Structures are given as C-alpha cells and as structure tokens.
C-alpha cells in the first residue's frame, strides 16, 4: 500500500469522490453536508492524498491549512470493499504526521453526528482527538460533531 499526493485529475479519484458525495447526501441534510467535491478540493490550501492497494484506490484524505498553526482534516474515506482493514487508521496517522511536519499545533475536523459516522468518531477518539466547538467557518449544527487534537512539537 502506498499513500501519494493526488492531483485530482484521474477518473479513479473522480469516481471515488462521487461515491463519497452520494453517501454524504444520503445521510446528511443539504445544510449539514460539508464534503467537498473535486473543485472544492482543488484549492491552494488543500493537499489531497490517495492510498492505493492492488492498483485501486483504497482510501483518501486531505489536509486543509486554516492558518500557520491549524489544519483541518477533510475528505477521509475508505473504500467500502476494504473497510475494517486499517486503511483509515493509516491515513489518519499520515495526516497527523504531515500536520506535525508543517508545524501545526492543532488539527481539527468536522464529521457527522448520525450513526453512519460512529466508526469515524471512534477512530478519531482512539487517535486522541477530543470533542470541541465549531472552528473556522463552521456553525453549531445538530448534525455535526467537531473534534480537535493538540499536536506535540515532535509529532512530525
């Protein structure tokens, strides 16, 4: 398995993210959907990675720079066929290390409050993320849960 920076130009990632958007639409009301499409991910402040296994995308993740010391996790997803095989943990570990190498002191994220997102919330808690209030441009939302993690200076 290999994690690579993805330029979001291939048909594989387009299809993978379209499935992600469909899932988010199915479980989140429109006003609470924060998943980014291809165009939303193609911004200077976002770095996007894919994890490949046997020549197919096993998962993806993105890191958005909020400011010089604060990053946000975006677009964490594992292929449905490969869930519960450590893909998400590997991606999350990658994001935490990358944030540390960038000198971030904090890493935050928004995820859903619905049962569908419970495995993700468990994973974030396992990695030391703690519940917090809305950050950046987010607002209080009964369908959203916010987490943050203070990063040690030597986590990179």
């Amino acid at each position: 398995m290999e994690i690579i920076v993805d330029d979001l130009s291939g048909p594989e990632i387009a299809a993978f993210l379209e499935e992600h958007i469909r899932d988010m639409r199915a479980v989140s009301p429109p006003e609470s959907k924060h998943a980014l499409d291809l165009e939303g991910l193609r911004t200077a402040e976002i770095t996007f990675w894919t994890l490949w296994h046997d020549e197919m995308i096993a998962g993806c993740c993105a890191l958005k720079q909020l400011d010089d010391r604060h990053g946000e996790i975006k677009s964490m997803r594992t292929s449905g066929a490969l869930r519960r095989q450590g893909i998400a943990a590997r991606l999350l570990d990658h994001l935490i290390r990358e944030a540390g190498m960038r000198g971030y002191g904090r890493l935050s994220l928004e995820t859903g409050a619905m049962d569908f997102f419970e495995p993700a919330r468990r994973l974030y808690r396992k990695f030391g993320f703690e519940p917090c209030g809305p950050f950046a441009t987010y607002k209080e939302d009964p369908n959203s849960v916010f987490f943050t993690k203070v990063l040690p200076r030597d986590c990179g």
Side-chain angles (χ1 to χ4, degrees):
M1 284 193 227
E2 180 182 18
I3 299 173
I4 61 167
V5 172
D6 195 307
D7 67 4
L8 298 161
S9 65
E12 301 93 346
I13 193 57
F16 194 80
L17 287 173
E18 182 54 39
E19 181 181 317
H20 179 58
I21 297 295
R22 276 196 311 269
D23 282 353
M24 297 306 98
R25 284 185 188 135
V27 297
S28 300
E31 68 275 8
S32 298
K33 184 191 79 62
H34 302 290
L36 298 174
D37 61 13
L38 277 172
E39 287 310 308
L41 289 164
R42 288 181 180 136
T43 64
E45 66 270 6
I46 294 177
T47 306
F48 188 87
W49 292 271
T50 46
L51 188 149
W52 291 79
H53 177 65
D54 291 337
E55 298 185 29
M56 61 182 252
I57 297 174
C60 67
C61 61
L63 182 57
K64 179 178 182 180
Q65 181 174 341
L66 298 176
D67 62 41
D68 289 345
R69 301 276 300 137
H70 192 184
E72 178 185 2
I73 294 173
K74 299 294 291 180
S75 300
M76 280 276 299
R77 180 168 181 83
T78 300
S79 166
L82 297 171
R83 291 201 175 126
R84 302 192 192 289
Q85 295 185 32
I87 304 290
R90 188 166 176 176
L91 288 167
L92 186 53
D93 182 63
H94 174 79
L95 288 169
I96 292 168
R97 289 178 185 276
E98 180 69 24
M101 287 189 295
R102 292 181 182 193
Y104 295 168
R106 178 173 301 276
L107 191 55
S108 301
L109 64 99
E110 179 276 339
T111 192
M114 301 73 136
D115 290 345
F116 177 87
F117 298 99
E118 180 53 33
R121 294 191 303 266
R122 257 193 323 270
L123 177 70
Y124 297 131
R125 286 190 295 268
K126 179 181 173 184
F127 274 75
F129 285 81
E130 297 181 357
C132 66
F135 58 93
T137 60
Y138 292 104
K139 308 270 188 267
E140 282 292 342
D141 181 342
N143 298 304
S144 289
V145 177
F146 303 96
F147 287 96
T148 197
K149 177 179 177 77
V150 174
L151 301 176
R153 288 217 177 268
D154 63 350
C155 76

